[in-house]
Amino acid sequence: PIEIKAFYQDTQPERIKIKELLDTYTYQSPKLSYTFIDPDRQPALARQYEVKTYGTLILEGFGRKETVTLPDEQSITRAILRLTSDTQKVVYFLTGHGERDIEDAEKTGLSTLKSDLEKSNYVVKKLNLMRNRVPDDAAVVVIADPQKPLFQEELTGITEYLNRGGRVLVLLAPFRDGGMTEFMARYGLKIKQDIVIDRISRMFGGDYLIPIINTYGRHEITEN
């Protein structure tokens, strides 16, 4: 069974729409059920489930919990799939070159990201490629803003991982390539020493390096 707790105010207009959507799920499967909870009337329950905004869904089942903050059919279905999955995907963050630290709670740290990934049923680990090869259970290897260049042995290890179907997410700060310019070029990605500026849509009082993006193409990522 999967139980869905919908945290909506009793008078919230969106409550009607989400109820209709949840009714379609319970119609398709008797193992799904839902209840509405007004966080203003039951604040202790909202705190217990770490609900910070109205319109949050908490899905519980299979001994796990999933949080959906912008509920629609896709996000609810994905949460159900994560609950019913027998395996946890492992995300490895590369270390050894001054990368952003998944244990660091400061502004430049990634502890919040680590916490959010774990809440979404991922396992988050550190990886030192000078000591180990990329493990077979890696769903993705994240290289987050290396301050020092990666060694050739490490790049060889990443290449070997990619060749066996692996995935790598590279996050680079401006003018710091982590010694990966040639490596990225092999995959058709060119790293240039450029800065994109917007002379019109800049932040009020800011310079050309702080643009304001206020129009988006139609895409799932920018929908909300």
Side-chain angles (χ1 to χ4, degrees):
I2 292 178
E3 182 183 356
I4 302 174
K5 291 180 172 64
F7 287 85
Y8 283 79
Q9 291 174 300
D10 290 341
T11 58
Q12 200 169 339
E14 296 85 357
R15 177 182 167 130
I16 298 174
K17 183 178 179 181
I18 199 67
K19 182 181 186 303
E20 292 175 352
L21 179 58
L22 294 176
D23 282 340
T24 64
Y25 281 93
T26 56
Y27 176 80
Q28 293 292 335
S29 174
K31 291 186 177 294
L32 279 166
S33 62
Y34 69 85
T35 55
F36 277 96
I37 299 168
D38 189 330
D40 294 334
R41 295 175 181 270
Q42 300 187 58
L45 203 56
R47 284 196 299 270
Q48 176 185 334
Y49 285 96
E50 300 179 3
V51 173
K52 297 179 174 61
T53 58
Y54 299 120
T56 297
L57 300 187
I58 303 294
L59 289 80
E60 292 180 303
F62 297 85
R64 294 192 287 270
K65 180 181 74 172
E66 287 289 329
T67 301
V68 177
T69 55
L70 295 170
D72 56 19
E73 184 176 345
Q74 285 185 322
S75 59
I76 295 172
T77 300
R78 285 176 182 161
I80 293 172
L81 289 173
R82 287 195 294 268
L83 285 178
T84 58
S85 175
D86 292 330
T87 59
Q88 287 183 293
K89 292 184 178 181
V90 185
V91 179
Y92 285 91
F93 283 78
L94 195 66
T95 64
H97 321 87
E99 293 91 344
R100 303 291 178 101
D101 191 351
I102 58 175
E103 305 296 342
D104 185 1
E106 297 299 320
K107 183 178 180 180
T108 58
L110 300 180
S111 63
T112 301
L113 174 60
K114 176 177 183 286
S115 175
D116 287 345
L117 286 170
E118 289 173 338
K119 288 177 183 177
S120 297
N121 200 34
Y122 290 93
V123 175
V124 183
K125 296 181 179 181
K126 294 182 179 181
L127 174 64
N128 188 324
L129 278 177
M130 292 302 292
R131 300 176 183 173
N132 308 285
R133 70 192 291 268
V134 179
D136 292 332
D137 64 354
V140 63
V141 173
V142 182
I143 304 171
D145 188 19
Q147 306 295 303
K148 302 175 184 176
L150 276 68
F151 292 106
Q152 186 57 50
E153 295 90 339
E154 295 173 299
L155 294 174
T156 299
I158 294 172
T159 301
E160 186 266 331
Y161 166 66
L162 288 170
N163 289 342
R164 65 178 199 260
R167 300 175 178 88
V168 174
L169 175 61
V170 181
L171 309 172
L172 299 177
F175 305 117
R176 284 203 298 266
D177 71 345
M180 301 191 69
T181 297
E182 293 183 9
F183 173 84
M184 301 288 280
R186 298 180 211 157
Y187 299 93
L189 298 168
K190 187 173 184 179
I191 300 175
K192 300 178 68 176
Q193 297 294 316
D194 294 339
I195 292 180
V196 177
I197 68 171
D198 190 333
R199 298 180 63 183
I200 299 175
S201 302
R202 58 176 175 160
M203 180 180 291
F204 180 75
D207 60 24
Y208 295 141
L209 303 181
I210 310 177
I212 294 294
I213 311 299
N214 53 21
T215 57
Y216 303 90
R218 288 182 59 83
H219 193 278
E220 182 181 339
I221 293 175
T222 59
E223 184 178 349
N224 291 291

